[in-house]
Amino acid sequence: MKEVNPKDTPRALAFDLWMKAPMPMVTLMKTLDVSPLVRLHRKRQDSFHMLLCWCIGRAAAQTEEFYLLPVGNKLIKYDRLAVNTVVATQNGGIATCDLPISPDLAQFSRDYQALTQLVRESGESHELGQDYMVIGTSALAEHEIDGAVNIYAGFYNNPFLIWGKYRKKWFRTTLPVSFQFHHTQMDGIPAAAFLERLQQEINHIHTK
Protein backbone atom coordinates (compact mmCIF):
# COMPACT_ATOMS: atom_id res chain seq x y z
CA MET A 1 0.00 0.00 0.00
CA LYS A 2 1.09 3.57 -0.56
CA GLU A 3 -0.41 7.03 -0.37
CA VAL A 4 -1.07 8.61 -3.75
CA ASN A 5 -1.89 12.13 -4.84
CA PRO A 6 -5.59 12.11 -5.76
CA LYS A 7 -4.84 14.51 -8.62
CA ASP A 8 -2.72 11.79 -10.23
CA THR A 9 -5.60 9.30 -10.22
CA PRO A 10 -8.96 9.00 -12.02
CA ARG A 11 -10.64 9.76 -8.65
CA ALA A 12 -9.42 13.36 -8.37
CA LEU A 13 -12.84 15.00 -8.81
CA ALA A 14 -14.56 12.43 -6.61
CA PHE A 15 -11.97 13.03 -3.89
CA ASP A 16 -12.74 16.76 -3.91
CA LEU A 17 -16.49 16.18 -3.97
CA TRP A 18 -17.00 13.40 -1.46
CA MET A 19 -14.17 13.24 1.08
CA LYS A 20 -15.80 15.84 3.32
CA ALA A 21 -19.39 14.83 2.65
CA PRO A 22 -21.33 13.92 5.83
CA MET A 23 -22.63 10.73 4.21
CA PRO A 24 -20.38 9.67 1.30
CA MET A 25 -21.54 6.04 1.14
CA VAL A 26 -23.69 4.71 -1.71
CA THR A 27 -25.67 1.45 -1.65
CA LEU A 28 -26.71 -0.58 -4.69
CA MET A 29 -28.94 -3.63 -4.47
CA LYS A 30 -29.06 -6.52 -6.94
CA THR A 31 -30.73 -9.92 -6.98
CA LEU A 32 -28.21 -12.54 -8.04
CA ASP A 33 -28.94 -15.93 -9.56
CA VAL A 34 -26.87 -18.20 -7.32
CA SER A 35 -28.12 -21.49 -8.76
CA PRO A 36 -24.58 -22.50 -9.92
CA LEU A 37 -23.23 -22.01 -6.40
CA VAL A 38 -25.99 -24.11 -4.86
CA ARG A 39 -25.39 -26.91 -7.38
CA LEU A 40 -21.64 -26.89 -6.71
CA HIS A 41 -22.27 -26.75 -2.96
CA ARG A 42 -24.40 -29.89 -3.18
CA LYS A 43 -22.10 -31.70 -5.60
CA ARG A 44 -18.79 -31.12 -3.80
CA GLN A 45 -19.98 -30.21 -0.30
CA ASP A 46 -18.16 -26.88 -0.57
CA SER A 47 -19.47 -24.12 1.66
CA PHE A 48 -21.95 -21.89 -0.19
CA HIS A 49 -20.61 -18.92 1.75
CA MET A 50 -17.04 -19.73 0.77
CA LEU A 51 -18.00 -20.01 -2.89
CA LEU A 52 -19.78 -16.66 -2.86
CA CYS A 53 -16.86 -14.94 -1.11
CA TRP A 54 -14.50 -16.35 -3.74
CA CYS A 55 -16.69 -15.01 -6.54
CA ILE A 56 -16.78 -11.60 -4.84
CA GLY A 57 -13.00 -11.60 -4.67
CA ARG A 58 -12.66 -12.65 -8.29
CA ALA A 59 -15.02 -9.91 -9.47
CA ALA A 60 -13.33 -7.27 -7.31
CA ALA A 61 -9.85 -8.22 -8.54
CA GLN A 62 -11.00 -7.36 -12.07
CA THR A 63 -12.36 -3.94 -11.01
CA GLU A 64 -9.62 -1.32 -10.82
CA GLU A 65 -11.55 0.95 -8.43
CA PHE A 66 -11.17 -1.59 -5.62
CA TYR A 67 -7.44 -0.92 -5.47
CA LEU A 68 -7.91 2.71 -4.32
CA LEU A 69 -9.49 3.51 -0.95
CA PRO A 70 -9.90 6.72 1.06
CA VAL A 71 -8.31 6.21 4.47
CA GLY A 72 -8.64 9.13 6.86
CA ASN A 73 -8.06 12.15 4.64
CA LYS A 74 -5.71 10.31 2.29
CA LEU A 75 -6.14 8.20 -0.84
CA ILE A 76 -4.31 4.87 -0.58
CA LYS A 77 -3.37 2.56 -3.43
CA TYR A 78 -3.21 -1.19 -2.79
CA ASP A 79 -1.71 -4.11 -4.67
CA ARG A 80 -3.60 -6.86 -2.85
CA LEU A 81 -7.24 -7.50 -1.95
CA ALA A 82 -8.93 -9.57 0.74
CA VAL A 83 -12.47 -10.54 1.68
CA ASN A 84 -13.58 -10.27 5.31
CA THR A 85 -16.23 -12.54 6.80
CA VAL A 86 -17.96 -12.75 10.17
CA VAL A 87 -17.40 -15.99 12.11
CA ALA A 88 -19.47 -17.39 14.99
CA THR A 89 -17.02 -18.35 17.75
CA GLN A 90 -17.17 -21.31 20.11
CA ASN A 91 -17.81 -19.04 23.10
CA GLY A 92 -21.03 -17.73 21.55
CA GLY A 93 -19.63 -14.46 20.22
CA ILE A 94 -18.56 -13.31 16.80
CA ALA A 95 -15.22 -12.31 15.29
CA THR A 96 -14.05 -11.37 11.83
CA CYS A 97 -11.65 -13.09 9.47
CA ASP A 98 -9.66 -11.62 6.56
CA LEU A 99 -9.23 -14.02 3.65
CA PRO A 100 -6.62 -13.29 0.97
CA ILE A 101 -8.12 -13.33 -2.51
CA SER A 102 -6.70 -16.06 -4.70
CA PRO A 103 -7.41 -16.74 -8.39
CA ASP A 104 -7.39 -20.44 -7.49
CA LEU A 105 -10.60 -21.76 -5.91
CA ALA A 106 -8.89 -24.71 -4.25
CA GLN A 107 -6.34 -22.43 -2.56
CA PHE A 108 -9.04 -20.01 -1.41
CA SER A 109 -11.05 -22.93 -0.01
CA ARG A 110 -8.05 -24.15 1.99
CA ASP A 111 -7.42 -20.66 3.36
CA TYR A 112 -11.11 -20.23 4.17
CA GLN A 113 -11.32 -23.48 6.10
CA ALA A 114 -8.08 -22.99 8.02
CA LEU A 115 -8.52 -19.32 8.91
CA THR A 116 -12.21 -19.42 9.83
CA GLN A 117 -11.55 -22.49 12.01
CA LEU A 118 -8.72 -20.60 13.73
CA VAL A 119 -11.04 -17.67 14.45
CA ARG A 120 -13.87 -19.98 15.56
CA GLU A 121 -11.66 -21.75 18.09
CA SER A 122 -9.65 -18.78 19.35
CA GLY A 123 -12.49 -16.28 19.47
CA GLU A 124 -10.11 -13.64 18.12
CA SER A 125 -10.35 -11.85 14.80
CA HIS A 126 -7.79 -12.58 12.09
CA GLU A 127 -6.46 -9.53 10.23
CA LEU A 128 -4.08 -9.57 7.29
CA GLY A 129 -2.76 -6.07 7.96
CA GLN A 130 -2.68 -2.76 6.19
CA ASP A 131 -1.22 -4.12 2.96
CA TYR A 132 -4.65 -5.40 1.89
CA MET A 133 -7.73 -3.51 0.74
CA VAL A 134 -10.41 -5.48 2.55
CA ILE A 135 -13.93 -6.05 1.24
CA GLY A 136 -16.34 -6.53 4.14
CA THR A 137 -19.19 -9.04 4.04
CA SER A 138 -22.00 -10.00 6.40
CA ALA A 139 -24.38 -12.93 5.87
CA LEU A 140 -27.72 -13.13 7.66
CA ALA A 141 -28.15 -16.62 6.29
CA GLU A 142 -31.11 -17.61 8.47
CA HIS A 143 -33.28 -14.69 7.40
CA GLU A 144 -34.80 -13.50 4.13
CA ILE A 145 -34.03 -9.81 3.55
CA ASP A 146 -34.58 -7.64 0.50
CA GLY A 147 -31.65 -5.30 1.16
CA ALA A 148 -29.62 -3.50 3.80
CA VAL A 149 -27.94 -0.14 4.31
CA ASN A 150 -24.90 -0.44 6.54
CA ILE A 151 -23.82 2.08 9.16
CA TYR A 152 -21.33 4.79 8.24
CA ALA A 153 -18.80 5.20 11.02
CA GLY A 154 -16.60 7.80 9.31
CA PHE A 155 -13.43 5.76 9.64
CA TYR A 156 -14.27 2.43 7.97
CA ASN A 157 -14.62 3.35 4.30
CA ASN A 158 -14.17 -0.15 2.89
CA PRO A 159 -16.70 -1.60 0.45
CA PHE A 160 -19.20 -3.92 2.10
CA LEU A 161 -21.66 -6.57 0.90
CA ILE A 162 -24.62 -7.89 2.91
CA TRP A 163 -27.01 -10.71 2.08
CA GLY A 164 -29.52 -12.98 3.77
CA LYS A 165 -31.03 -16.37 3.00
CA TYR A 166 -31.18 -17.47 -0.61
CA ARG A 167 -34.57 -18.17 -2.17
CA LYS A 168 -35.58 -21.24 -4.14
CA LYS A 169 -38.20 -21.05 -6.89
CA TRP A 170 -38.64 -23.74 -9.49
CA PHE A 171 -35.22 -24.27 -11.11
CA ARG A 172 -33.60 -21.01 -9.93
CA THR A 173 -32.12 -19.93 -6.63
CA THR A 174 -31.81 -16.19 -6.08
CA LEU A 175 -30.10 -14.01 -3.50
CA PRO A 176 -30.64 -10.26 -2.96
CA VAL A 177 -27.32 -8.55 -2.20
CA SER A 178 -26.61 -5.03 -0.94
CA PHE A 179 -23.32 -3.42 -1.97
CA GLN A 180 -22.15 -0.32 -0.09
CA PHE A 181 -19.13 1.71 -1.18
CA HIS A 182 -17.51 5.09 -0.60
CA HIS A 183 -18.25 7.50 -3.44
CA THR A 184 -14.62 8.60 -3.46
CA GLN A 185 -13.59 5.04 -4.30
CA MET A 186 -15.99 4.51 -7.18
CA ASP A 187 -19.04 5.84 -8.97
CA GLY A 188 -22.31 4.06 -9.63
CA ILE A 189 -21.39 2.77 -13.09
CA PRO A 190 -18.28 0.78 -12.06
CA ALA A 191 -20.12 -0.38 -8.93
CA ALA A 192 -22.97 -1.73 -11.04
CA ALA A 193 -20.43 -3.26 -13.44
CA PHE A 194 -18.80 -5.02 -10.46
CA LEU A 195 -22.15 -6.58 -9.52
CA GLU A 196 -22.64 -7.73 -13.11
CA ARG A 197 -19.11 -9.15 -13.07
CA LEU A 198 -19.98 -10.95 -9.82
CA GLN A 199 -22.95 -12.58 -11.55
CA GLN A 200 -20.68 -13.65 -14.40
CA GLU A 201 -18.22 -15.23 -11.96
CA ILE A 202 -21.09 -17.14 -10.37
CA ASN A 203 -22.37 -18.27 -13.75
CA HIS A 204 -18.99 -19.72 -14.74
CA ILE A 205 -17.81 -21.13 -11.42
CA HIS A 206 -18.27 -24.69 -12.69
CA THR A 207 -15.44 -24.05 -15.18
CA LYS A 208 -12.92 -22.94 -12.54
Side-chain angles (χ1 to χ4, degrees):
M1 59 171 286
K2 64 178 181 180
E3 180 183 357
V4 294
N5 186 340
K7 295 181 179 180
D8 297 331
T9 74
R11 305 308 298 160
L13 179 59
F15 188 91
D16 291 339
L17 287 174
W18 303 112
M19 281 302 293
K20 295 183 179 179
M23 181 55 200
M25 310 302 285
V26 180
T27 302
L28 298 185
M29 300 182 186
K30 182 177 179 66
T31 297
L32 300 170
D33 182 348
V34 295
S35 304
L37 300 188
V38 174
R39 288 195 293 268
L40 193 59
H41 159 66
R42 291 173 178 170
K43 179 180 179 181
R44 303 197 324 199
Q45 300 301 307
D46 284 335
S47 161
F48 173 86
H49 184 266
M50 181 277 293
L51 294 171
L52 181 53
C53 284
W54 184 73
C55 289
I56 290 170
R58 287 271 301 179
Q62 301 170 60
T63 308
E64 63 178 354
E65 285 81 4
F66 276 90
Y67 293 89
L68 286 174
L69 181 72
V71 179
N73 60 355
K74 301 176 181 179
L75 192 61
I76 304 298
K77 184 177 181 179
Y78 295 84
D79 294 323
R80 294 183 285 184
L81 305 179
V83 176
N84 177 276
T85 186
V86 179
V87 179
T89 61
Q90 290 182 344
N91 61 9
I94 60 172
T96 61
C97 181
D98 289 349
L99 304 163
I101 291 174
S102 170
D104 180 60
L105 176 55
Q107 180 61 55
F108 184 82
S109 179
R110 288 191 293 270
D111 290 340
Y112 179 95
Q113 294 178 40
L115 294 174
T116 55
Q117 183 65 22
L118 175 65
V119 171
R120 187 174 297 110
E121 294 176 353
S122 69
E124 298 181 359
S125 295
H126 171 74
E127 298 181 357
L128 287 172
Q130 297 181 347
D131 289 339
Y132 288 80
M133 202 298 297
V134 179
I135 304 160
T137 70
S138 181
L140 306 173
E142 300 299 320
H143 306 278
E144 285 192 4
I145 60 173
D146 293 326
V149 177
N150 200 18
I151 60 172
Y152 171 58
F155 56 86
Y156 183 81
N157 295 332
N158 299 58
F160 206 97
L161 291 97
I162 303 175
W163 60 87
K165 184 178 181 179
Y166 57 68
R167 303 169 183 182
K168 302 176 184 178
K169 186 175 182 180
W170 297 104
F171 300 106
R172 296 178 69 239
T173 305
T174 60
L175 180 68
V177 172
S178 296
F179 173 45
Q180 179 176 284
F181 55 94
H182 197 291
H183 213 333
T184 296
Q185 184 177 32
M186 68 183 80
D187 296 317
I189 291 176
F194 158 71
L195 292 174
E196 292 177 359
R197 197 169 290 119
L198 173 56
Q199 181 64 72
Q200 293 170 6
E201 289 295 330
I202 292 170
N203 292 344
H204 296 99
I205 193 169
H206 63 281
T207 65
K208 308 302 182 183

